[in-house]
Amino acid sequence: MMEEKKRGIGYSMYLTIEKTAEYLNVPVSEVYRLIREKQVRTIQVDDELLLNKEQFNLFMKEMEKQKEALEEYLNTPIPEDIDIKDED
């Protein structure tokens, strides 16, 4: 923490890739995928990539919305097909 303050970077504002994965509760490989696909921005300080923690607030909200939409879709009953006729 002290080293980040020396660099002029607020500790709570930026996270390492490992800390970001922990914060998002996802594997480190998922964070690398987000970086590779340019879904999140990074800054490089010395040899370390850092991610702004605040950018994930919107990301987390969007992930939650998508999860809720999927659950709603999966829980929606399949309507009866009006084209099915009784063959008696």
Coordinates of all heavy atoms in Angstrom, one line a residue:
M1 N 0.8 -1.2 0.0 CA 0.0 0.0 0.0 C 0.9 1.2 0.0 O 0.6 2.2 -0.7 CB -0.9 0.0 1.2 CG -1.9 1.2 1.2 SD -3.2 0.9 2.4 CE -2.7 2.0 3.6
M2 N 1.9 1.2 0.8 CA 2.8 2.4 0.9 C 3.5 2.7 -0.5 O 3.6 3.8 -0.9 CB 3.8 2.2 1.9 CG 4.6 3.4 2.3 SD 3.5 4.7 2.9 CE 4.5 5.4 4.0
E3 N 3.8 1.6 -1.2 CA 4.5 1.7 -2.5 C 3.6 2.4 -3.5 O 4.0 3.3 -4.3 CB 4.9 0.4 -3.0 CG 5.7 0.4 -4.3 CD 6.3 -0.9 -4.7 OE1 6.8 -1.6 -3.8 OE2 6.1 -1.2 -5.9
E4 N 2.3 2.1 -3.5 CA 1.3 2.7 -4.4 C 1.2 4.2 -4.1 O 1.0 5.0 -5.0 CB 0.0 2.0 -4.3 CG 0.0 0.7 -5.1 CD -0.7 -0.4 -4.4 OE1 -0.8 -0.4 -3.2 OE2 -1.1 -1.3 -5.1
K5 N 1.2 4.6 -2.8 CA 1.1 6.0 -2.4 C 2.3 6.7 -2.9 O 2.2 7.9 -3.3 CB 0.9 6.1 -0.9 CG -0.5 5.8 -0.5 CD -0.8 6.1 1.0 CE -2.2 5.8 1.3 NZ -2.5 6.1 2.7
K6 N 3.5 6.1 -2.8 CA 4.7 6.7 -3.3 C 4.6 7.0 -4.8 O 5.1 8.0 -5.3 CB 5.9 5.8 -3.1 CG 6.4 5.7 -1.6 CD 7.6 4.8 -1.5 CE 7.9 4.5 -0.1 NZ 9.0 3.6 0.0
R7 N 3.9 6.1 -5.5 CA 3.8 6.3 -7.0 C 2.7 7.4 -7.3 O 2.6 7.7 -8.5 CB 3.3 5.0 -7.6 CG 4.3 3.9 -7.6 CD 3.8 2.7 -8.3 NE 4.5 1.5 -7.9 CZ 4.1 0.3 -8.1 NH1 2.9 0.1 -8.6 NH2 4.8 -0.7 -7.8
G8 N 2.0 7.8 -6.3 CA 1.0 8.8 -6.5 C -0.4 8.2 -7.0 O -1.2 8.8 -7.5
I9 N -0.5 6.9 -6.7 CA -1.7 6.2 -7.1 C -2.5 5.9 -5.8 O -2.0 5.3 -4.9 CB -1.4 4.9 -7.8 CG1 -0.6 5.2 -9.1 CG2 -2.6 4.1 -8.1 CD1 -0.1 4.0 -9.8
G10 N -3.8 6.3 -5.8 CA -4.6 6.0 -4.6 C -4.8 4.5 -4.5 O -5.2 3.9 -5.5
Y11 N -4.6 3.9 -3.4 CA -4.7 2.5 -3.2 C -6.1 2.0 -3.5 O -6.3 1.0 -4.2 CB -4.3 2.1 -1.8 CG -4.5 0.7 -1.5 CD1 -3.7 -0.3 -2.0 CD2 -5.6 0.2 -0.7 CE1 -3.9 -1.6 -1.7 CE2 -5.8 -1.1 -0.4 CZ -4.9 -2.0 -0.9 OH -5.1 -3.4 -0.7
S12 N -7.1 2.7 -3.1 CA -8.5 2.2 -3.3 C -9.0 2.4 -4.7 O -10.0 1.9 -5.1 CB -9.4 2.9 -2.3 OG -9.5 4.3 -2.5
M13 N -8.3 3.2 -5.5 CA -8.7 3.6 -6.8 C -8.3 2.5 -7.9 O -9.0 2.3 -8.8 CB -8.2 4.9 -7.2 CG -8.8 5.5 -8.4 SD -8.3 7.2 -8.5 CE -9.2 7.7 -9.9
Y14 N -7.1 1.9 -7.7 CA -6.6 1.0 -8.7 C -6.3 -0.3 -8.0 O -6.0 -0.4 -6.9 CB -5.3 1.5 -9.3 CG -5.5 2.7 -10.2 CD1 -5.4 4.0 -9.7 CD2 -5.9 2.6 -11.5 CE1 -5.7 5.1 -10.5 CE2 -6.2 3.7 -12.3 CZ -6.0 4.9 -11.8 OH -6.3 6.0 -12.6
L15 N -6.6 -1.4 -8.9 CA -6.4 -2.8 -8.4 C -5.4 -3.5 -9.4 O -5.4 -3.2 -10.6 CB -7.7 -3.5 -8.4 CG -8.8 -3.0 -7.5 CD1 -10.1 -3.7 -7.7 CD2 -8.4 -3.1 -6.0
T16 N -4.7 -4.4 -8.8 CA -3.9 -5.3 -9.7 C -4.8 -6.3 -10.4 O -6.0 -6.4 -10.0 CB -2.8 -6.1 -8.9 OG1 -3.5 -6.9 -7.9 CG2 -1.9 -5.2 -8.1
I17 N -4.3 -7.0 -11.3 CA -5.1 -8.0 -12.0 C -5.6 -9.0 -11.0 O -6.8 -9.4 -11.0 CB -4.3 -8.6 -13.2 CG1 -4.2 -7.6 -14.2 CG2 -5.1 -9.9 -13.7 CD1 -3.3 -8.0 -15.4
E18 N -4.8 -9.5 -10.1 CA -5.2 -10.5 -9.1 C -6.2 -10.0 -8.2 O -7.2 -10.6 -7.9 CB -4.0 -11.0 -8.3 CG -3.0 -11.8 -9.1 CD -2.1 -11.0 -10.1 OE1 -2.0 -9.7 -9.9 OE2 -1.5 -11.5 -11.0
K19 N -6.1 -8.7 -7.7 CA -7.0 -8.1 -6.8 C -8.4 -7.8 -7.5 O -9.4 -8.0 -7.0 CB -6.5 -6.8 -6.2 CG -5.4 -7.0 -5.2 CD -5.9 -7.6 -3.9 CE -4.8 -7.8 -2.9 NZ -5.2 -8.5 -1.7
T20 N -8.3 -7.5 -8.8 CA -9.5 -7.3 -9.6 C -10.3 -8.6 -9.7 O -11.5 -8.6 -9.6 CB -9.1 -6.8 -11.0 OG1 -8.4 -5.5 -10.9 CG2 -10.4 -6.5 -11.8
A21 N -9.6 -9.7 -10.0 CA -10.3 -11.0 -10.1 C -10.9 -11.3 -8.8 O -12.1 -11.8 -8.7 CB -9.2 -12.1 -10.5
E22 N -10.2 -11.0 -7.7 CA -10.8 -11.3 -6.4 C -12.0 -10.4 -6.1 O -13.1 -10.9 -5.6 CB -9.7 -11.0 -5.3 CG -10.1 -11.4 -3.9 CD -9.0 -11.1 -2.9 OE1 -7.8 -11.5 -3.2 OE2 -9.2 -10.5 -1.9
Y23 N -11.9 -9.1 -6.5 CA -13.0 -8.2 -6.3 C -14.2 -8.6 -7.1 O -15.4 -8.5 -6.6 CB -12.5 -6.8 -6.7 CG -13.6 -5.7 -6.7 CD1 -14.1 -5.2 -5.5 CD2 -14.0 -5.1 -7.9 CE1 -15.0 -4.2 -5.5 CE2 -15.0 -4.1 -7.9 CZ -15.5 -3.7 -6.7 OH -16.4 -2.7 -6.7
L24 N -14.0 -9.1 -8.3 CA -15.1 -9.5 -9.2 C -15.6 -10.9 -9.0 O -16.6 -11.3 -9.5 CB -14.7 -9.3 -10.7 CG -14.4 -7.9 -11.1 CD1 -13.9 -7.9 -12.6 CD2 -15.7 -7.0 -11.0
N25 N -14.8 -11.6 -8.2 CA -15.1 -13.0 -7.9 C -15.1 -13.9 -9.2 O -16.0 -14.6 -9.5 CB -16.4 -13.2 -7.1 CG -16.5 -14.6 -6.5 OD1 -15.5 -15.2 -6.2 ND2 -17.7 -15.0 -6.3
V26 N -14.1 -13.6 -10.0 CA -13.9 -14.4 -11.3 C -12.4 -14.8 -11.4 O -11.6 -14.3 -10.7 CB -14.2 -13.5 -12.5 CG1 -15.6 -13.0 -12.5 CG2 -13.3 -12.3 -12.6
P27 N -12.1 -15.8 -12.2 CA -10.7 -16.2 -12.4 C -9.9 -15.1 -13.0 O -10.4 -14.3 -13.7 CB -10.8 -17.4 -13.3 CG -12.3 -17.8 -13.4 CD -13.1 -16.6 -13.0
V28 N -8.6 -15.2 -12.7 CA -7.7 -14.2 -13.3 C -7.7 -14.2 -14.8 O -7.6 -13.2 -15.4 CB -6.2 -14.5 -12.8 CG1 -5.2 -13.6 -13.5 CG2 -6.1 -14.3 -11.3
S29 N -7.9 -15.4 -15.4 CA -8.0 -15.5 -16.8 C -9.1 -14.7 -17.4 O -9.1 -14.2 -18.5 CB -8.1 -17.0 -17.3 OG -9.3 -17.6 -16.7
E30 N -10.2 -14.6 -16.6 CA -11.4 -13.8 -17.1 C -11.0 -12.3 -17.1 O -11.4 -11.6 -18.0 CB -12.6 -14.0 -16.2 CG -13.8 -13.2 -16.5 CD -14.5 -13.6 -17.8 OE1 -14.1 -14.7 -18.4 OE2 -15.3 -12.9 -18.3
V31 N -10.2 -11.8 -16.2 CA -9.8 -10.4 -16.2 C -8.8 -10.2 -17.4 O -9.0 -9.2 -18.1 CB -9.0 -10.1 -14.9 CG1 -8.5 -8.6 -14.9 CG2 -10.0 -10.3 -13.7
Y32 N -8.0 -11.1 -17.6 CA -7.1 -11.0 -18.8 C -7.9 -11.0 -20.1 O -7.6 -10.3 -21.0 CB -6.1 -12.2 -18.9 CG -4.9 -11.9 -18.0 CD1 -4.6 -12.7 -16.9 CD2 -4.0 -10.9 -18.3 CE1 -3.5 -12.5 -16.1 CE2 -2.9 -10.7 -17.5 CZ -2.6 -11.5 -16.4 OH -1.5 -11.3 -15.6
R33 N -9.0 -11.8 -20.2 CA -9.9 -11.8 -21.3 C -10.5 -10.4 -21.5 O -10.6 -9.9 -22.6 CB -11.0 -12.9 -21.2 CG -11.9 -12.9 -22.5 CD -13.1 -13.8 -22.3 NE -14.0 -13.3 -21.3 CZ -14.9 -12.3 -21.5 NH1 -14.9 -11.8 -22.7 NH2 -15.7 -11.9 -20.5
L34 N -11.0 -9.8 -20.4 CA -11.6 -8.5 -20.5 C -10.6 -7.4 -21.0 O -11.0 -6.6 -21.8 CB -12.1 -8.1 -19.1 CG -13.3 -8.9 -18.6 CD1 -13.6 -8.5 -17.1 CD2 -14.5 -8.7 -19.4
I35 N -9.4 -7.6 -20.6 CA -8.3 -6.6 -21.0 C -8.0 -6.9 -22.5 O -8.0 -5.9 -23.3 CB -7.0 -6.8 -20.2 CG1 -7.3 -6.4 -18.7 CG2 -5.9 -6.0 -20.8 CD1 -6.2 -6.8 -17.7
R36 N -7.9 -8.1 -22.9 CA -7.5 -8.5 -24.3 C -8.6 -8.0 -25.2 O -8.3 -7.5 -26.3 CB -7.3 -10.0 -24.4 CG -6.8 -10.5 -25.7 CD -6.5 -12.0 -25.7 NE -7.6 -12.8 -25.2 CZ -7.7 -13.5 -24.1 NH1 -6.7 -13.4 -23.2 NH2 -8.8 -14.2 -23.8
E37 N -9.9 -8.1 -24.8 CA -11.0 -7.7 -25.6 C -11.3 -6.2 -25.5 O -12.3 -5.8 -26.0 CB -12.2 -8.6 -25.3 CG -12.1 -10.0 -25.7 CD -13.2 -10.9 -25.3 OE1 -14.2 -10.4 -24.7 OE2 -13.2 -12.1 -25.6
K38 N -10.5 -5.5 -24.7 CA -10.6 -4.1 -24.6 C -12.0 -3.7 -24.0 O -12.5 -2.6 -24.3 CB -10.3 -3.3 -25.9 CG -8.9 -3.6 -26.4 CD -8.7 -2.8 -27.6 CE -7.4 -3.2 -28.3 NZ -6.2 -2.7 -28.0
Q39 N -12.5 -4.6 -23.1 CA -13.7 -4.2 -22.4 C -13.4 -3.4 -21.1 O -14.3 -2.8 -20.6 CB -14.5 -5.5 -22.0 CG -15.0 -6.3 -23.2 CD -15.8 -7.4 -22.8 OE1 -16.4 -7.5 -21.7 NE2 -15.9 -8.4 -23.7
V40 N -12.2 -3.4 -20.7 CA -11.8 -2.6 -19.5 C -10.5 -2.0 -19.9 O -9.7 -2.4 -20.7 CB -11.6 -3.5 -18.2 CG1 -12.9 -4.0 -17.8 CG2 -10.6 -4.6 -18.4
R41 N -10.2 -0.8 -19.3 CA -9.0 -0.1 -19.5 C -8.0 -0.3 -18.4 O -8.4 -0.6 -17.2 CB -9.3 1.4 -19.6 CG -10.0 1.8 -20.9 CD -10.3 3.3 -20.9 NE -11.6 3.4 -20.3 CZ -12.2 4.6 -19.9 NH1 -11.5 5.7 -20.0 NH2 -13.4 4.6 -19.4
T42 N -6.8 -0.3 -18.7 CA -5.7 -0.5 -17.8 C -4.7 0.7 -17.9 O -4.7 1.4 -18.9 CB -4.9 -1.8 -18.0 OG1 -4.3 -1.7 -19.3 CG2 -5.8 -3.0 -18.0
I43 N -3.9 0.8 -16.8 CA -2.8 1.7 -16.9 C -1.6 0.9 -16.5 O -1.7 -0.1 -15.7 CB -2.9 2.9 -15.9 CG1 -3.0 2.5 -14.5 CG2 -4.0 3.8 -16.3 CD1 -2.9 3.7 -13.5
Q44 N -0.4 1.2 -17.0 CA 0.8 0.5 -16.6 C 1.7 1.4 -15.8 O 2.0 2.5 -16.1 CB 1.5 0.0 -17.9 CG 2.7 -0.9 -17.6 CD 3.2 -1.6 -18.8 OE1 2.6 -1.5 -19.8 NE2 4.3 -2.3 -18.6
V45 N 2.0 0.8 -14.6 CA 2.9 1.5 -13.7 C 4.1 0.6 -13.5 O 3.9 -0.5 -13.0 CB 2.2 1.8 -12.4 CG1 3.2 2.5 -11.4 CG2 1.0 2.7 -12.6
D46 N 5.3 1.0 -13.9 CA 6.4 0.2 -13.9 C 6.1 -1.0 -14.8 O 5.8 -0.9 -15.9 CB 6.9 -0.2 -12.5 CG 7.3 1.1 -11.7 OD1 7.8 2.0 -12.4 OD2 7.1 1.1 -10.5
D47 N 6.2 -2.2 -14.2 CA 5.9 -3.5 -15.0 C 4.6 -4.0 -14.6 O 4.3 -5.2 -15.0 CB 7.0 -4.5 -14.7 CG 8.4 -4.1 -15.3 OD1 8.3 -3.3 -16.3 OD2 9.4 -4.5 -14.7
E48 N 3.7 -3.3 -13.9 CA 2.5 -3.8 -13.5 C 1.3 -3.1 -14.1 O 1.2 -1.9 -14.3 CB 2.4 -3.6 -11.9 CG 1.3 -4.3 -11.3 CD 1.5 -4.3 -9.8 OE1 1.8 -3.3 -9.2 OE2 1.2 -5.4 -9.2
L49 N 0.3 -4.0 -14.5 CA -1.0 -3.4 -15.1 C -1.9 -3.2 -13.9 O -2.1 -4.1 -13.1 CB -1.6 -4.4 -16.1 CG -1.0 -4.5 -17.4 CD1 -1.7 -5.6 -18.3 CD2 -1.1 -3.2 -18.2
L50 N -2.6 -2.0 -13.9 CA -3.5 -1.7 -12.9 C -4.9 -1.4 -13.6 O -4.9 -0.8 -14.7 CB -3.1 -0.5 -12.0 CG -1.7 -0.8 -11.3 CD1 -1.3 0.5 -10.6 CD2 -1.8 -1.9 -10.3
L51 N -5.9 -1.7 -12.9 CA -7.3 -1.4 -13.4 C -8.0 -0.5 -12.4 O -7.9 -0.7 -11.2 CB -8.1 -2.7 -13.5 CG -7.5 -3.7 -14.6 CD1 -6.6 -4.7 -13.9 CD2 -8.6 -4.3 -15.3
N52 N -8.7 0.5 -12.9 CA -9.5 1.4 -12.1 C -10.7 0.7 -11.5 O -11.5 0.1 -12.3 CB -10.0 2.6 -12.9 CG -10.6 3.6 -12.1 OD1 -11.4 3.4 -11.2 ND2 -10.3 4.9 -12.4
K53 N -10.8 0.7 -10.2 CA -11.8 -0.1 -9.5 C -13.2 0.5 -9.9 O -14.2 -0.3 -10.0 CB -11.6 0.0 -8.0 CG -12.5 -0.8 -7.2 CD -12.2 -0.6 -5.7 CE -13.1 -1.4 -4.8 NZ -12.7 -1.3 -3.4
E54 N -13.3 1.7 -10.1 CA -14.6 2.4 -10.3 C -15.3 1.9 -11.7 O -16.5 1.9 -11.8 CB -14.5 3.9 -10.3 CG -14.2 4.4 -8.9 CD -15.3 4.1 -7.9 OE1 -16.5 4.2 -8.2 OE2 -15.0 3.6 -6.8
Q55 N -14.5 1.5 -12.6 CA -15.0 1.1 -13.9 C -15.8 -0.2 -13.8 O -16.7 -0.5 -14.6 CB -14.0 1.0 -15.0 CG -13.1 -0.2 -14.8 CD -12.0 -0.3 -15.9 OE1 -12.3 0.1 -17.1 NE2 -10.8 -0.7 -15.6
F56 N -15.6 -0.9 -12.7 CA -16.3 -2.1 -12.5 C -17.7 -2.0 -11.9 O -18.5 -2.9 -11.9 CB -15.5 -3.1 -11.8 CG -14.3 -3.6 -12.6 CD1 -13.0 -3.1 -12.3 CD2 -14.5 -4.5 -13.6 CE1 -12.0 -3.5 -13.0 CE2 -13.4 -4.8 -14.4 CZ -12.1 -4.4 -14.1
N57 N -18.0 -0.8 -11.3 CA -19.3 -0.6 -10.7 C -20.4 -0.8 -11.8 O -21.3 -1.5 -11.6 CB -19.4 0.7 -10.0 CG -18.5 0.8 -8.8 OD1 -18.2 -0.2 -8.2 ND2 -18.1 2.0 -8.4
L58 N -20.2 -0.1 -12.9 CA -21.1 -0.2 -14.0 C -21.1 -1.6 -14.6 O -22.1 -2.2 -14.9 CB -20.8 0.8 -15.1 CG -21.7 0.8 -16.4 CD1 -23.2 1.0 -16.0 CD2 -21.2 1.8 -17.4
F59 N -19.9 -2.2 -14.8 CA -19.7 -3.5 -15.3 C -20.5 -4.5 -14.4 O -21.2 -5.4 -14.9 CB -18.2 -3.9 -15.3 CG -17.9 -5.2 -15.8 CD1 -18.0 -5.5 -17.2 CD2 -17.5 -6.2 -15.0 CE1 -17.7 -6.8 -17.7 CE2 -17.2 -7.5 -15.4 CZ -17.3 -7.8 -16.8
M60 N -20.4 -4.4 -13.1 CA -21.0 -5.3 -12.2 C -22.6 -5.2 -12.3 O -23.3 -6.2 -12.3 CB -20.6 -5.1 -10.7 CG -19.1 -5.4 -10.5 SD -18.7 -7.1 -10.6 CE -19.4 -7.7 -9.0
K61 N -23.0 -3.9 -12.4 CA -24.5 -3.7 -12.6 C -25.0 -4.3 -13.9 O -26.0 -4.9 -13.9 CB -24.8 -2.2 -12.6 CG -24.6 -1.6 -11.2 CD -24.9 -0.1 -11.3 CE -24.6 0.6 -10.0 NZ -24.8 2.1 -10.1
E62 N -24.2 -4.2 -14.9 CA -24.6 -4.8 -16.2 C -24.6 -6.3 -16.2 O -25.5 -7.0 -16.7 CB -23.7 -4.3 -17.4 CG -23.9 -2.9 -17.7 CD -25.3 -2.6 -18.2 OE1 -25.9 -3.4 -19.0 OE2 -25.9 -1.6 -17.8
M63 N -23.6 -6.9 -15.5 CA -23.6 -8.3 -15.3 C -24.8 -8.8 -14.6 O -25.4 -9.8 -14.9 CB -22.3 -8.8 -14.6 CG -21.1 -8.8 -15.6 SD -19.5 -9.3 -14.8 CE -20.0 -10.9 -14.2
E64 N -25.1 -8.1 -13.5 CA -26.3 -8.5 -12.7 C -27.6 -8.4 -13.5 O -28.5 -9.2 -13.4 CB -26.4 -7.6 -11.5 CG -27.4 -8.0 -10.5 CD -27.1 -9.4 -9.9 OE1 -25.9 -9.7 -9.7 OE2 -28.1 -10.1 -9.6
K65 N -27.7 -7.3 -14.4 CA -28.9 -7.2 -15.2 C -29.0 -8.3 -16.2 O -30.1 -8.9 -16.4 CB -28.9 -5.9 -16.0 CG -29.2 -4.7 -15.2 CD -29.2 -3.4 -16.1 CE -29.4 -2.2 -15.3 NZ -29.2 -1.0 -16.2
Q66 N -27.9 -8.7 -16.8 CA -27.8 -9.8 -17.7 C -28.2 -11.1 -17.1 O -28.9 -12.0 -17.6 CB -26.5 -9.9 -18.4 CG -26.2 -8.8 -19.4 CD -24.8 -9.0 -20.0 OE1 -24.1 -9.9 -19.8 NE2 -24.5 -8.0 -20.8
K67 N -27.7 -11.3 -15.9 CA -28.0 -12.5 -15.1 C -29.5 -12.6 -14.8 O -30.2 -13.6 -14.9 CB -27.2 -12.6 -13.8 CG -27.4 -13.8 -13.0 CD -26.6 -13.7 -11.7 CE -26.9 -14.8 -10.8 NZ -26.2 -14.7 -9.5
E68 N -30.1 -11.5 -14.4 CA -31.5 -11.4 -14.0 C -32.4 -11.7 -15.3 O -33.4 -12.4 -15.2 CB -31.9 -10.1 -13.4 CG -31.4 -9.9 -12.0 CD -31.6 -8.5 -11.5 OE1 -32.2 -7.7 -12.1 OE2 -31.1 -8.3 -10.4
A69 N -31.9 -11.1 -16.4 CA -32.7 -11.3 -17.7 C -32.6 -12.7 -18.1 O -33.7 -13.3 -18.6 CB -32.1 -10.4 -18.8
L70 N -31.5 -13.4 -18.0 CA -31.4 -14.8 -18.3 C -32.3 -15.7 -17.4 O -33.0 -16.5 -17.9 CB -29.9 -15.3 -18.2 CG -29.7 -16.7 -18.5 CD1 -30.1 -17.1 -19.9 CD2 -28.2 -17.1 -18.3
E71 N -32.2 -15.4 -16.1 CA -33.1 -16.1 -15.2 C -34.5 -15.9 -15.5 O -35.3 -16.9 -15.5 CB -32.8 -15.7 -13.7 CG -31.5 -16.2 -13.2 CD -31.2 -15.7 -11.8 OE1 -32.1 -15.2 -11.1 OE2 -30.0 -15.9 -11.3
E72 N -34.9 -14.7 -15.8 CA -36.3 -14.5 -16.2 C -36.7 -15.2 -17.4 O -37.8 -15.8 -17.5 CB -36.5 -13.0 -16.4 CG -38.0 -12.6 -16.7 CD -38.1 -11.1 -16.9 OE1 -37.4 -10.3 -16.4 OE2 -39.1 -10.7 -17.7
Y73 N -35.8 -15.2 -18.4 CA -36.1 -16.0 -19.7 C -36.2 -17.5 -19.4 O -37.1 -18.1 -19.9 CB -34.9 -15.7 -20.6 CG -35.0 -16.5 -21.9 CD1 -35.9 -16.2 -22.9 CD2 -34.2 -17.6 -22.0 CE1 -36.0 -17.0 -24.0 CE2 -34.2 -18.4 -23.2 CZ -35.1 -18.1 -24.2 OH -35.2 -18.9 -25.3
L74 N -35.3 -18.0 -18.6 CA -35.3 -19.4 -18.3 C -36.5 -19.8 -17.5 O -37.0 -21.0 -17.5 CB -34.0 -19.8 -17.6 CG -32.8 -19.8 -18.4 CD1 -31.5 -20.1 -17.6 CD2 -32.8 -20.7 -19.6
N75 N -37.1 -18.9 -16.7 CA -38.2 -19.2 -15.8 C -39.6 -18.9 -16.5 O -40.6 -19.2 -15.9 CB -38.1 -18.4 -14.5 CG -37.0 -18.9 -13.6 OD1 -36.7 -20.1 -13.7 ND2 -36.4 -18.1 -12.9
T76 N -39.5 -18.3 -17.7 CA -40.8 -18.1 -18.4 C -41.3 -19.3 -19.0 O -40.6 -20.1 -19.7 CB -40.5 -17.0 -19.6 OG1 -40.0 -15.9 -19.0 CG2 -41.8 -16.7 -20.3
P77 N -42.6 -19.7 -18.7 CA -43.1 -20.9 -19.3 C -43.3 -20.8 -20.8 O -43.5 -19.7 -21.3 CB -44.5 -21.0 -18.6 CG -44.8 -19.7 -18.0 CD -43.5 -19.0 -17.9
I78 N -43.1 -21.9 -21.4 CA -43.3 -22.0 -22.9 C -44.8 -21.9 -23.2 O -45.5 -22.8 -22.7 CB -42.6 -23.3 -23.5 CG1 -41.2 -23.3 -23.1 CG2 -42.9 -23.4 -25.0 CD1 -40.5 -24.6 -23.5
P79 N -45.2 -21.0 -24.0 CA -46.6 -20.9 -24.3 C -47.1 -22.1 -25.2 O -46.3 -22.6 -25.9 CB -46.7 -19.6 -25.1 CG -45.4 -19.3 -25.6 CD -44.4 -20.0 -24.7
E80 N -48.3 -22.4 -25.0 CA -48.8 -23.5 -25.8 C -49.0 -23.1 -27.2 O -49.4 -22.0 -27.5 CB -50.2 -23.9 -25.2 CG -50.7 -25.2 -25.8 CD -52.0 -25.7 -25.1 OE1 -52.0 -25.6 -23.9 OE2 -52.9 -26.1 -25.8
D81 N -48.6 -24.0 -28.1 CA -48.6 -23.6 -29.6 C -50.0 -23.6 -30.1 O -50.7 -24.6 -30.0 CB -47.7 -24.6 -30.3 CG -47.5 -24.2 -31.8 OD1 -48.1 -23.2 -32.2 OD2 -46.7 -24.8 -32.5
I82 N -50.5 -22.5 -30.6 CA -51.9 -22.5 -31.1 C -52.1 -23.3 -32.4 O -53.2 -23.5 -32.7 CB -52.3 -21.0 -31.3 CG1 -51.4 -20.3 -32.4 CG2 -52.3 -20.2 -30.1 CD1 -51.8 -18.9 -32.8
D83 N -51.0 -23.7 -33.0 CA -51.2 -24.5 -34.2 C -51.4 -26.0 -34.0 O -51.7 -26.7 -34.9 CB -50.0 -24.3 -35.1 CG -49.9 -22.9 -35.7 OD1 -51.0 -22.3 -35.9 OD2 -48.8 -22.4 -36.1
I84 N -51.2 -26.4 -32.7 CA -51.4 -27.8 -32.4 C -52.8 -28.1 -32.3 O -53.6 -27.4 -31.6 CB -50.6 -28.2 -31.1 CG1 -49.1 -28.0 -31.3 CG2 -51.0 -29.6 -30.7 CD1 -48.4 -28.3 -30.0
K85 N -53.3 -29.0 -33.0 CA -54.7 -29.4 -33.0 C -54.9 -30.8 -32.5 O -54.1 -31.6 -32.7 CB -55.3 -29.2 -34.4 CG -55.3 -27.8 -35.0 CD -56.0 -27.7 -36.3 CE -56.2 -26.3 -36.7 NZ -55.1 -25.6 -37.1
D86 N -56.0 -31.0 -31.9 CA -56.4 -32.3 -31.4 C -56.7 -33.2 -32.6 O -57.5 -32.8 -33.5 CB -57.6 -32.2 -30.5 CG -57.8 -33.5 -29.7 OD1 -56.9 -34.4 -29.8 OD2 -58.8 -33.6 -29.1
E87 N -56.0 -34.3 -32.7 CA -56.1 -35.2 -33.9 C -57.3 -36.2 -33.8 O -57.3 -37.2 -34.5 CB -54.8 -35.9 -34.2 CG -53.7 -35.0 -34.5 CD -53.8 -34.4 -35.9 OE1 -54.4 -35.0 -36.8 OE2 -53.4 -33.2 -36.1
D88 N -58.2 -36.0 -33.0 CA -59.3 -37.0 -32.8 C -60.3 -37.0 -34.0 O -60.8 -36.2 -34.5 CB -60.1 -36.8 -31.5 CG -59.2 -37.3 -30.4 OD1 -58.3 -38.1 -30.6 OD2 -59.5 -36.9 -29.2

